[in-house]
Amino acid sequence: MIQADFVAFFQMFFVIYFSALTLGYLLLNWMAFVQIIPYMHRRSLEKGLPQTVSGFEIPVSVLVPAHNESKTIVDAVKALLHLKYPDYEIVVINDGSTDSTLDVLKDEFKLTPLRDVYWERLRTRRVRAIYGSRTHPNLRVLDKENGGKGDALNAGINIAHHPVICTIDSDSILPRDSLQNVIQPFLEDPTTVASGGTVRIINGCRVADGYLLETGIPSNLLALIQIVEYLRAFLFGRLGWSSLNALMVISGAYSVLDKEAVIEVGGYRTDLMGEDMELVLRLHSHMRKSGRKYRISYVPDPICWTEAPENLRTLGRQRIRWQRGLAEAMWLNLSLLFHPRGGVIGWLAFPFYLVFEFFGPVVESFGLVLTVFGWLLGVISLDVLLLFLTLAIGSNLLLSISALLLEEISFRAYPGKRSILIFFLVSFVEAPFYRMLNSFWRVAGLVGWAFNWRKSWGQGSRKGRWLKGTQDKEGLSPYQTSDKAS
Amino acid sequence: MWGVISLLETVGALLVLTFVFRIIFSAEEKHYKKFIETWRHIIVESLVKTPENVPTIASRDIYPLLKLWNYFHESVRGAPKQRLNDFARKVGIDKFAERLLARLSARDKLIAMATLGHLRQKSVLPAIEQIAATDDPYISLVAVRAMMMIDPEESYSWLVEGMRSRSNWSPVRVALLLKEMGPDIAARSLTEVIQSAEGNNLRRVVGFLKLISPEISLPHLRSLLGRSEEEEIVATCLKTIGHMKSFEDVQLVRSFKDHSSHKVRAQVASALGILGTDEDQSILANLLGDRHYIVRRAAAESLARLPSSSMESLQQLATSLSDDYSRDILRQEIFRQYGGAG
C-alpha cells in the first residue's frame, strides 16, 4: 500500500514538475515571439538605412581581463580596435599573467608607462603599472597582481574614463557592430543599468584575424548540441525574461554596465565563480529595494561568438562551474526572493530559477535514478518509466524546436535547410542523453558549492582553431565567463 | 498516452513550420538579391536621367524596393533627392507606400512613413498623426519625423509636445531628428520646450542646446544657470558653454568654481580649459586639490590647455603644490602631454 502510494506520488510529482517546466518555458517562448517580431521590424528598417552619428552616443570603456593569453590577446585587441562605435576606449587588464601576455601587448601596440593617478573606488590587488599605446590613443593596459576575473574587472572599472563599461572575454569573436547593438538599451532608456546580447558558438565557423567570416555547422556532436542549447538559453530564455525586466543573467562574455551603478553596489565579487550573474542579481536587488526605476535589458542580436568545448571532460567541468556560479549568485541574493519590493524578479524569475535551474538538475537526476532503479527492482512499472522518459525528453524536444523556430523567424545565422535537420536530429540525441548527463554535472556543481570544494574546475582544454597562430593553444582561460548559456 | 501523442504532434508541426519558413526565406533572399541588383542600377540611373525600361513591380517586391529607395534617399544630399522623388512618383512608390501605411504590420508602416516623409506626401498626414499618437516610442518618433518632413509648420506642435512629454523617446533619436530638421526648427522647438520644461524633462532636453546656434542657445544656458539649482542641469549648461567656446561667459563659468556638486566643479574645470586665460591658473590649481578625483583630473587636463602652459610651467606648479593628490594628478597630465620627459 505504502509502495503504491509512493509510486503514485512520484508519478504525480514528475508529471507536475515537467508540465510546469515546459509550460513556464513555453510562456517565455511566447513572450520572446511577441518581442522579437517588432524588434526585427525595427532592425530591418534601421540596418537598411545609412547609419548616422548623433553626437549623443554614450562613451564606453571596454574592459578586457586577460590572464596568460599571450597567443590570442593581440588579435583580440586588434578586433576591438575596429569596433564600429564613435567613442570608446579599450582597457586591457593583465591580471598577473605568468606568460608573455604583457610583453606581446607592449611590442604590438608600442606601450609606454603612464603615470596614471586614479581613484580606487573598488579595492583590488596591487596595480603594478598602467601603460598607454603610442599607436592607439584609446588603448591602455593595466598590469596588476593576480586576483581573478572579478578583481581584474574592478581594477579596470577604477581606471575607466567613461560612464558605461563593457566587459569582454578576450577570446571572444565580436562582430564589428556588436557594441553598437548592445549599447542600444542605454541610448533608448536612460534608466538602463545593464544590457547583454546573444552569445553564439563559433565552432564550425570560418574566422580570420579575429573576425567571423562565415557561419557554419561543426562536425563535433557536443558542439552541435551546445548550439541548440545556446539558442534555447538566449533567444527565448533571456528575451522572455528581459521583456519583464527580470533578466537574471547577462553573459560576462559580453556585458555592458553603468559604471556608477556597479560601483554603488560594490563592484564584482572576487571570491566567486559566477561573479557576472551575481552582479546582475545584486543590481536587481539594490535597485528594487531602494525603489529606483531601472532596466536590465537584452538585445537578441548575436554580439559575441565563443568556442564551445568539444570533449566531455572540459564540457563537464564547465557545466559544474556554471552551476556552482548560479548557486553562489542565487544564494548570496536570496533576500530578493519574495521580497515585498522584489517585483517580477523577486516573485517570479527568482522562484522560477530556484525551482527549475537551481533544484531542477537534482529533481531530474534523482527522478532518473529512482525511476530506473524502481523499474529494475520491479517497484515501478514500465509505463511509469516510459512516462518519465517521455516527459523529460518530450519537453526538452519541444523547447528545442521552439528555439529553432524562433531563430528561423529572426536571425537565421546558420545557413541551409540541412542545418535545421541537423539541429533537429541533435535535439533528439540531446534530450535523452546529454540533458541527463548535464543534470548530473550540475548536481556535482551544487554539491561542490554546498561543500565549498576547490574552485579550480575552470581549467580545461579548448582548441582555439580559428585564432591566428593558436593551433597549439592549450588550457581554457581561467577567465572564461561563468554563465555563457546557463 | 494522448499527452505523448499530442506532444510529438506539436514537435512535428513546429519542425514542418520551421522548414516551411526556411524554404520561404531562402527563396525570398535569393529573389531579393536579384531584385536589388536590378533596381540598384535603375535607381542610380534615376539620379541622372529618367530610366527607361522600368520592370513591373510585384507586390512582394514593394518592401525591398521602398527600403532600397530610402537607403539612396538618406545617402544623398540636395538636388538628387528631388530626382529620387520624381522617380518614385513615376514608378508608383508613393502609391505603394500609401498602401503599406494602411496595413497592420509595424514593418510596413515604418517603411511607409519613412518613404512618405521623404516624398512630402501631404495627403497622408492625418493617418501618420494617428500613428504618432501610439504608445510605442520608436514608431511614434518615426511618425513625427515623417510628419516633420512632410509639413514642418503643421507638425511642429507634435515635435514640441513629444519632446515635452514623451519621456520614452530615445534622446539619441531626438537629437538625430533635431539635427535633420535643421538649426531653425531645432532652435525654435528647444526654445519652446526649455521655457516650460522642469525636472526630468528639462534634464532631458538641455543637452540638445549644443545642436543649435550659440546666438540662440547661449541666452537659454545663461538663464538656466541663473534659475536652476539642479546639479545635472547646471553641469550640462557649463559643459555646453565650454563646447560652444563662449569666451564672453568665462566669468559666469568661474562663478561656479565653489559649487557644492563635484559634477558642476568638474565642468567648471573642463570649461576653463577651453575658455580660460592664464588668470585661471590659480582657480584650476585650487581645483587640483578637490576631494573628488574627476574634478582633479579635469583641472589637470585644463591646466595643460591654458594658453601659456608649457612643460616647465606645469612642472614648476607641480613642485610648488603641497598637496600630494594635486601634485600626482598634475604630474600624470604632464606625463600624458609631454611623455617621459615629465
Side-chain angles (χ1 to χ4, degrees):
Chain A
M1 186 62 191
I2 293 171
Q3 186 183 311
D5 283 350
F6 175 73
V7 172
F9 169 79
F10 174 76
Q11 201 169 332
M12 189 52 71
F13 175 79
F14 285 108
V15 168
I16 292 171
Y17 176 83
F18 282 111
S19 305
L21 174 81
T22 311
L23 197 68
Y25 275 115
L26 284 177
L27 271 172
L28 281 177
N29 201 359
W30 176 76
M31 281 189 280
F33 269 104
V34 170
Q35 290 282 309
I36 203 141
I37 294 168
Y39 181 82
M40 295 310 290
H41 288 163
R42 275 178 58 168
R43 197 176 182 275
S44 158
L45 180 63
E46 278 178 4
K47 300 275 172 187
L49 296 176
Q51 305 286 303
T52 29
V53 174
S54 71
F56 284 80
E57 284 78 8
I58 305 168
V60 180
S61 295
V62 178
L63 309 182
V64 193
H67 178 76
N68 293 345
E69 308 272 357
S70 60
K71 288 176 182 164
T72 57
I73 194 72
V74 168
D75 275 352
V77 174
K78 276 184 183 168
L80 287 173
L81 286 165
H82 289 99
L83 284 177
K84 226 162 59 178
Y85 194 72
D87 192 0
Y88 70 101
E89 63 165 356
I90 300 165
V91 178
V92 180
I93 306 112
N94 177 43
D95 190 43
S97 295
T98 50
D99 68 354
S100 56
T101 300
L102 186 60
D103 295 330
V104 294
L105 285 168
K106 276 181 181 172
D107 287 349
E108 184 66 34
F109 302 106
K110 311 277 175 280
L111 299 183
T112 51
L114 298 174
R115 280 196 189 169
D116 267 19
V117 182
Y118 62 91
W119 185 9
E120 196 184 24
R121 300 175 78 184
L122 301 167
R123 296 281 294 172
T124 66
R125 293 281 173 90
R126 195 174 71 84
V127 172
R128 295 177 190 135
I130 299 172
Y131 300 89
S133 165
R134 284 204 299 271
T135 50
H136 299 87
N138 64 336
L139 169 66
R140 282 183 296 158
V141 175
L142 181 147
D143 182 36
K144 66 181 276 293
E145 286 176 359
N146 180 255
K149 186 180 176 184
D151 195 62
L153 287 171
N154 285 341
I157 291 169
N158 280 336
I159 73 157
H161 285 157
H162 298 319
V164 170
I165 53 159
C166 171
T167 70
I168 290 175
D169 275 358
S170 62
D171 63 344
S172 298
I173 300 294
L174 312 171
R176 279 195 68 207
D177 60 354
S178 58
L179 187 53
Q180 213 173 43
N181 289 332
V182 78
I183 198 82
Q184 277 309 316
F186 280 86
L187 305 181
E188 303 277 333
D189 182 352
T191 66
T192 302
V193 293
S195 74
T198 301
V199 176
R200 296 202 179 226
I201 292 196
I202 197 92
N203 305 47
C205 298
R206 204 156 65 83
V207 175
D209 295 333
Y211 291 108
L212 174 70
L213 300 179
E214 197 184 338
T215 53
I217 311 281
S219 51
N220 180 281
L221 180 63
L222 279 180
L224 278 168
I225 287 173
Q226 288 172 84
I227 290 179
V228 178
E229 198 186 15
Y230 271 51
L231 284 180
R232 239 180 12 226
F234 281 95
L235 270 184
F236 72 72
R238 298 201 185 172
L239 193 55
W241 287 121
S242 172
S243 65
L244 301 169
N245 196 22
L247 197 61
M248 296 271 288
V249 192
I250 287 179
S251 173
Y254 203 137
S255 60
V256 179
L257 300 145
D258 179 294
K259 186 172 80 177
E260 284 306 315
V262 174
I263 291 172
E264 205 178 308
V265 298
Y268 285 92
R269 284 190 62 130
T270 55
D271 53 345
L272 305 178
M273 283 188 172
E275 70 282 319
D276 24 28
M277 181 182 183
E278 197 280 328
L279 179 68
V280 172
L281 284 182
R282 195 145 33 94
L283 282 170
H284 272 299
S285 184
H286 179 73
M287 295 292 174
R288 288 274 175 199
K289 288 174 190 170
S290 54
R292 273 153 63 181
K293 202 175 166 223
Y294 76 104
R295 257 209 84 79
I296 294 184
S297 297
Y298 165 80
V299 288
D301 297 72
I303 51 153
C304 168
W305 294 73
T306 189
E307 188 187 17
E310 291 191 349
N311 62 65
L312 282 174
R313 192 163 154 262
T314 315
L315 182 63
R317 285 178 175 185
Q318 184 193 57
R319 295 315 157 100
I320 289 170
R321 201 175 68 243
W322 285 5
Q323 187 66 18
R324 185 171 174 155
L326 179 125
E328 285 171 341
M330 292 187 76
W331 179 251
L332 287 167
N333 292 281
L334 205 59
S335 63
L336 194 56
L337 181 68
F338 301 128
H339 189 281
R341 283 181 163 181
V344 183
I345 184 114
W347 289 82
L348 192 65
F350 206 109
F352 185 92
Y353 262 68
L354 197 65
V355 173
F356 297 117
E357 297 290 339
F358 189 104
F359 288 118
V362 179
V363 175
E364 287 177 34
S365 308
F366 178 70
L368 181 70
V369 172
L370 210 67
T371 314
V372 172
F373 274 99
W375 177 66
L376 288 172
L377 296 172
V379 180
I380 285 171
S381 68
L382 185 65
D383 287 349
V384 175
L385 176 74
L386 290 177
L387 179 73
F388 176 82
L389 291 176
T390 315
L391 276 174
I393 296 166
S395 64
N396 203 52
L397 200 58
L398 185 61
L399 297 175
S400 298
I401 194 76
S402 304
L404 289 180
L405 182 60
L406 201 57
E407 163 73 359
E408 202 49 41
I409 62 165
S410 53
F411 297 98
R412 294 188 291 283
Y414 299 97
K417 290 186 264 302
R418 209 178 118 248
S419 65
I420 298 176
L421 194 64
I422 291 172
F423 291 144
F424 180 69
L425 293 174
V426 162
S427 305
F428 260 108
V429 183
E430 185 221 352
F433 303 110
Y434 174 75
R435 190 184 167 96
M436 292 304 164
L437 191 60
N438 196 16
S439 291
F440 289 125
W441 284 330
R442 292 171 73 187
V443 170
L446 284 178
V447 173
W449 164 73
F451 293 99
N452 199 22
W453 283 347
R454 70 194 174 96
K455 291 186 177 181
S456 58
W457 281 333
Q459 313 296 321
S461 71
R462 301 200 311 167
K463 291 182 178 164
R465 278 187 295 241
W466 66 89
L467 292 158
K468 199 171 68 182
T470 60
Q471 279 77 357
D472 58 344
K473 184 190 177 196
E474 284 296 328
L476 180 66
S477 158
Y479 284 179
Q480 281 305 298
T481 192
S482 61
D483 62 336
K484 273 174 181 158
S486 63
Chain B
M1 192 60 190
W2 286 112
V4 173
I5 292 171
S6 50
L7 190 72
L8 290 175
E9 277 175 354
T10 313
V11 168
L14 289 176
L15 178 68
V16 171
L17 199 60
T18 311
F19 264 111
V20 169
F21 275 133
R22 175 59 61 108
I23 291 164
I24 292 171
F25 290 138
S26 300
E28 269 185 357
E29 253 166 49
K30 215 180 265 175
H31 170 76
Y32 289 155
K33 239 182 210 169
K34 217 169 132 195
F35 174 83
I36 283 170
E37 212 168 284
T38 313
W39 277 88
R40 184 177 284 130
H41 290 300
I42 297 170
I43 295 178
V44 169
E45 197 187 338
S46 79
L47 290 169
V48 281
K49 59 172 187 165
T50 311
E52 290 159 20
N53 304 327
V54 177
T56 48
I57 301 149
S59 62
R60 69 194 281 214
D61 297 331
I62 293 174
Y63 183 80
L65 174 63
L66 263 55
K67 221 168 117 176
L68 188 66
W69 182 82
N70 272 279
Y71 180 85
F72 275 96
H73 215 288
E74 300 204 1
S75 306
V76 297
R77 295 275 168 274
K81 277 188 184 284
Q82 188 49 49
R83 282 197 282 276
L84 280 171
N85 284 1
D86 296 342
F87 168 74
R89 292 211 159 84
K90 186 174 174 280
V91 296
I93 283 177
D94 52 340
K95 297 283 173 269
F96 293 142
E98 281 182 30
R99 218 192 295 165
L100 293 192
L101 189 68
R103 286 196 188 161
L104 282 176
S105 151
R107 184 191 80 147
D108 291 346
K109 277 191 198 305
L110 286 169
I111 197 74
M113 287 191 292
T115 310
L116 294 164
H118 287 310
L119 285 167
R120 302 192 175 157
Q121 192 96 334
K122 254 194 155 164
S123 59
V124 295
L125 258 183
I128 300 183
E129 274 180 13
Q130 281 186 356
I131 300 169
T134 55
D135 286 339
D136 187 298
Y138 182 74
I139 295 179
S140 70
L141 202 48
V142 172
V144 169
R145 176 180 181 245
M147 287 162 63
M148 289 299 294
M149 286 196 278
I150 294 169
D151 189 341
E153 283 309 315
E154 182 91 351
S155 315
Y156 176 75
S157 60
W158 283 85
L159 174 69
V160 171
E161 195 42 43
M163 281 166 62
R164 200 179 274 149
S165 59
R166 298 286 299 239
S167 58
N168 58 1
W169 273 7
S170 153
V172 173
R173 289 186 205 287
V174 174
L176 282 170
L177 176 58
L178 290 174
K179 270 173 116 172
E180 197 179 1
M181 290 302 121
D184 291 345
I185 286 176
R188 249 177 75 199
S189 57
L190 279 172
T191 302
E192 232 174 281
V193 175
I194 276 176
Q195 275 165 356
S196 59
E198 279 179 2
N200 274 343
N201 286 347
L202 186 56
R203 266 199 298 276
R204 221 177 40 238
V205 292
V206 73
F208 296 144
L209 284 171
K210 77 172 180 190
L211 296 171
I212 60 177
S213 77
E215 292 78 43
I216 296 163
S217 64
L218 284 171
H220 291 303
L221 292 165
R222 288 173 196 139
S223 146
L224 282 170
L225 284 174
R227 73 179 155 104
S228 179
E229 288 179 1
E230 272 196 60
E231 57 171 16
E232 300 280 348
I233 291 171
V234 175
T236 311
C237 288
L238 292 169
K239 187 179 172 184
T240 314
I241 284 175
H243 174 86
M244 291 184 156
K245 298 194 170 93
S246 174
F247 294 100
E248 59 187 295
D249 287 303
V250 67
Q251 197 53 46
L252 179 65
V253 172
R254 285 174 191 147
S255 68
F256 286 91
K257 69 181 168 48
D258 298 316
H259 198 276
S260 57
S261 160
H262 70 277
K263 289 180 187 166
V264 172
R265 294 197 302 277
Q267 289 309 331
V268 170
S270 294
L272 287 180
I274 304 166
L275 313 173
T277 61
D278 293 335
E279 284 171 47
D280 294 299
Q281 201 193 46
S282 61
I283 296 175
L284 291 169
N286 276 336
L287 290 173
L288 275 181
D290 197 281
R291 65 181 187 283
H292 278 273
Y293 169 78
I294 63 158
V295 183
R296 295 201 298 275
R297 206 179 83 198
E301 282 168 4
S302 290
L303 272 166
R305 295 176 73 178
L306 287 179
S308 66
S309 164
S310 65
M311 189 175 77
E312 289 73 27
S313 67
L314 292 175
Q315 275 176 337
Q316 213 172 351
L317 177 63
T319 321
S320 70
L321 294 167
S322 55
D323 174 48
D324 287 347
Y325 288 100
S326 313
R327 212 170 33 237
D328 285 349
I329 202 93
L330 186 57
R331 284 194 169 145
Q332 167 186 313
E333 195 53 35
I334 298 170
F335 192 83
R336 266 179 204 279
Q337 296 293 328
Y338 304 103

